[in-house]
Amino acid sequence: MSNSLKSICITGGGTAGWMAAILLSSALRGSNIKITVIESADIGTIGVGESTVPSIMDFIQACQINLKEFIQATSASFKLGIRFDDWLNPGENFFHPFGKVGKDINGFDFYQAWLKSLADGQKTRWLDYSPSAIMAENERFMLRPIQSENWVLSNYAHALHFDAVQVARYLRDICQQRGVNRIEATVKKVNLDNKGFIRSLTLDNDTTVSSDFFIDCTGFNGLLIDKSLKVGFEDWSHYLPCNRAVAVQTEQVDKPVPYTIATAQAAGWSWQIPLQHRTGNGYVFSHQFCSDEKAIETLLSSINGKVLNEPRIIPFVTGKRKKLWHNNCLALGLASGFLEPLESTAIHLVYKTLVHFIKHFPDGDFDADNEQAFNQKIDADYQEIRDFIILHYCTSDRDDTEFWQWCQTMPVPTSLQEKIRIFRNRGQLEDHQGQFFTHDSWCSILEGMKIRPQKHHPLVNGFHSQNLANTLNENIKNIRDTVLKIPNHYEYLQANCPAYIKKNS
Ligand code: FAD
C-alpha cells in the first residue's frame, strides 16, 4: 500500500467534473485520497446535457444522494423513454421505452413469442407490452412500490430530465460538505515530467497544483488529454455527419411529459426536454446541409413558449480520444469525446467510465496492462453507442432533403451491418457482456423503423397459438388497467417532489 495514490485532481467543474468528484468521494471513502476540483469562473460549462438514461438512478444511489432533494434542486422530471417523430417518414412516430418489453416465455425472448403471435394473425403492437411505453402514452408515473416483485409494471425503468446547471451546483455543494477541495482558477499550463506523466498544473493566480492523478473534465477543450498529452482523436464524422447544435430554453407552456421528444428535421433532428420549470430545446444539424441561420430559424419555428435566452450555436466533432486513460490522466465527459445526444448517452458514459475506472483503480505503478484493459472496455462502450445512433439514420426511409438522401447511402460500420443482417433473418440479436442497449432497445428502434425479421425462431412454433394469444391479451389488459390507476406524471411531481425553482422563473 506504500505505493498507493494520495491525491486526485479533477480539472473542470461541469457535469463531468462534479460527477467524478462525488462518485470518487463515495467510492474512495476511507482511503485518505485527497480530491481537488479546479473550476474556472472565466470558462463556462456546456450546460445542455439534460436528458439521461436509467443508469442515472444507479449513479444517484451509488453517491448516496437523496433522490427527492436532487429532483427538487434540479427541477427534474421523470423520463420513461424517447418519442421519435418523423424519423421513418414525416408524420410517423415511434417510442423507445426504458425497461423490458414483455416477459420471456418458456425461456424464449418475448420478442420471438410476439413474432409467432403475429404469424398466427394477432395484431398487437410491440409497445403494448412495455409498461414504460404505456405509462408514457398516458402521461402517468410513480416510483416503484417497495414490495414490487409481483407488480404488473415491475419491469419498467426510468431516468430523469434535469437542469444541467443546477446539477453541477447541487453536486458541488454536496462534494464540499463531504470534504472535496475546490479551487476557483483557470489552468494556464500543464507540467509534464520526462516520462510524459503530468506532475502539476500552473494556475492563473500563479500557484501550482501537484497531484498523483489527474482527471481531465475541461470539456471540448481537452486541456490535459489533448493539448498536453496529445493522445490523438478517432474521428467518426464520416458515419455521423451532424456537427453542430443550436440550443435554446423556453417557458413551460404544457405540463411536462415523462419522455424526451426527438424530431427528425431537414438536416438533422431537434430535441425537447421538459423540466418542471422550463423546456430545453435544441437542433442537432449538419453544417454541410444547413447554415446556422437556417438552423436557428427551424428551431425557433418548431417550439412553443416564450424564448428565455439567445439561441446558442455549439460546434462539435463526433468521435473519441484514441485513449481515454493515458499514464496518470483520465479524460471524462466532453474531454473524452462526443456522440450526438440522440439517445442521451453522454452523462451515462461519464458514469460508466468512472465505474470502469474504479474497477481498474491504479496504484502508483500505473500498470500499462491495467490501463489497456480499461481503454478496451470504454472503446467497446463507445462503439456500441455509436452503432446504435447510426441505426436511427441508416434505417430511415426519408429522402426528402439532401441530408436524408445522404443517409440513404451512408457508410455503415461492419459491426452494425452484421447486426441488422442477422436480425432481418429471424430477429436475433447477440447480447454481449456489459452492453448498454438491451435486446429490447434494438427491437424498439427496428420495429419503429418497420424492419421485421423474415421469420421467427423455429422452436416458438411449439407454443399453442390460442394459449399464446390469451396470455398476450391478458398481459396487455393488465398493463393498461394498472397504468390507468397510477398518478398523472405532473401531479405526482407536484405532490412528491416539486421543484424549488418555480415554473418559468
Ligand atoms: P463542460 O460542461 O464543458 O465543463 C467543462 C468545465 O471545464 C467547465 O467548468 C470549465 O470552466 C472547465 N475548464 C475548461 N478549461 C479550463 C481551464 N483551462 N482551467 C480550469 N477549468 C477549465 N448529455 C446527456 O447525457 N444528455 C443530453 O441530453 C445531452 N445533450 C447534449 C446536447 C449538446 C448540444 C451537447 C454539446 C452535449 C450534450 N450532452 C448531453 C453532453 C453533456 O452536456 C456533457 O456530457 C456533460 O455536460 C458534461 O460536460 P463536461 O463537464 O464534460 O464539460
Side-chain angles (χ1 to χ4, degrees), residues 12-16 40 43-46 48-51 185-187 217-221 223 245 271 273 314 332-334 338 341 344 346-347:
T15 311
S40 167
I43 305 171
T45 60
I46 203 86
V48 285
E50 308 204 311
S51 185
T186 300
V187 176
C217 297
T218 59
F220 288 131
N221 221 354
L223 188 68
W271 77 75
I273 301 176
I314 307 166
L332 199 63
L334 300 174
F338 187 64
S344 329
I347 291 169

Side-chain angles (χ1 to χ4, degrees), residues 11-19 38-53 79 162 164 185-188 203 216-223 244-247 260 269 271 273 283-284 314-316 332-350:
T11 313
T15 311
W18 288 111
M19 281 179 74
I38 303 174
E39 66 176 330
S40 167
D42 301 330
I43 305 171
T45 60
I46 203 86
V48 285
E50 308 204 311
S51 185
T52 64
V53 295
K79 172 181 173 188
F162 50 46
T186 300
V187 176
K188 284 288 168 208
L203 310 183
D216 185 348
C217 297
T218 59
F220 288 131
N221 221 354
L223 188 68
R244 278 167 118 73
V246 50
T260 301
W269 61 277
W271 77 75
I273 301 176
Y283 180 11
V284 174
I314 307 166
F316 60 81
L332 199 63
L334 300 174
S336 70
F338 187 64
L339 288 163
E340 61 186 69
L342 184 56
E343 285 282 350
S344 329
T345 41
I347 291 169
H348 161 76
L349 272 172
V350 170

Side-chain angles (χ1 to χ4, degrees), residues 226-471:
D226 180 46
K227 304 278 182 320
S228 181
L229 296 175
K230 300 183 173 43
V231 296
F233 190 78
E234 208 174 327
D235 191 325
W236 287 334
S237 309
H238 53 292
Y239 290 132
L240 290 163
C242 289
N243 53 8
R244 278 167 118 73
V246 50
V248 81
Q249 298 171 357
T250 49
E251 269 188 359
Q252 189 69 270
V253 281
D254 299 314
K255 291 176 178 166
V257 291
Y259 49 87
T260 301
I261 302 171
T263 308
Q265 299 287 356
W269 61 277
S270 60
W271 77 75
Q272 261 174 273
I273 301 176
L275 308 180
Q276 288 198 43
H277 65 311
R278 62 160 172 82
T279 302
N281 313 273
Y283 180 11
V284 174
F285 63 100
S286 166
H287 211 217
Q288 192 190 334
F289 299 102
C290 180
S291 66
D292 290 351
E293 296 70 33
K294 182 74 193 157
I296 294 171
E297 188 193 314
T298 305
L299 179 64
L300 294 181
S301 64
S302 68
I303 52 184
N304 296 320
K306 191 174 143 207
V307 173
L308 299 174
N309 61 340
E310 275 298 305
R312 187 170 146 221
I313 295 283
I314 307 166
F316 60 81
V317 184
T318 295
K320 61 175 277 296
R321 303 280 171 216
K322 287 198 173 144
K323 289 168 91 181
L324 264 67
W325 180 347
H326 181 68
N327 293 345
N328 64 339
C329 178
L330 171 72
L332 199 63
L334 300 174
S336 70
F338 187 64
L339 288 163
E340 61 186 69
L342 184 56
E343 285 282 350
S344 329
T345 41
I347 291 169
H348 161 76
L349 272 172
V350 170
Y351 175 54
K352 192 122 189 240
T353 306
L354 287 165
V355 170
H356 291 321
F357 178 64
I358 291 165
K359 200 160 185 190
H360 290 266
F361 198 76
D363 57 22
D365 292 338
F366 296 107
D367 174 28
D369 289 338
N370 186 43
E371 180 189 303
Q372 192 186 4
F374 166 91
N375 282 324
Q376 280 169 350
K377 279 188 191 162
I378 208 73
D379 283 355
D381 292 341
Y382 257 91
Q383 188 183 307
E384 181 204 351
I385 294 172
R386 177 200 69 187
D387 284 5
F388 195 67
I389 293 173
I390 296 171
L391 179 72
H392 299 64
Y393 291 102
C394 73
T395 52
S396 170
D397 280 353
R398 286 187 69 153
D399 60 2
D400 52 321
T401 63
E402 276 184 69
F403 174 84
W404 290 103
Q405 283 156 17
W406 181 90
C407 293
Q408 288 295 315
T409 53
M410 67 190 283
V412 176
T414 323
S415 44
L416 179 58
Q417 284 178 30
E418 234 168 68
K419 200 152 188 150
I420 298 175
R421 187 172 49 76
I422 296 170
F423 179 84
R424 279 186 192 276
N425 182 17
R426 59 179 206 181
Q428 273 176 313
L429 291 159
E430 293 311 317
D431 289 336
H432 58 84
Q433 212 200 348
Q435 75 181 32
F436 169 63
F437 287 111
T438 61
H439 179 278
D440 290 349
S441 283
W442 284 87
C443 287
S444 296
I445 307 302
L446 287 158
E447 176 61 21
M449 293 297 194
K450 296 205 166 67
I451 296 184
R452 285 257 175 89
Q454 287 153 6
K455 51 191 184 209
H456 50 257
H457 193 292
L459 295 181
V460 293
N461 282 327
F463 293 172
H464 184 276
S465 298
Q466 192 53 52
N467 289 351
L468 179 62
N470 292 346
T471 307

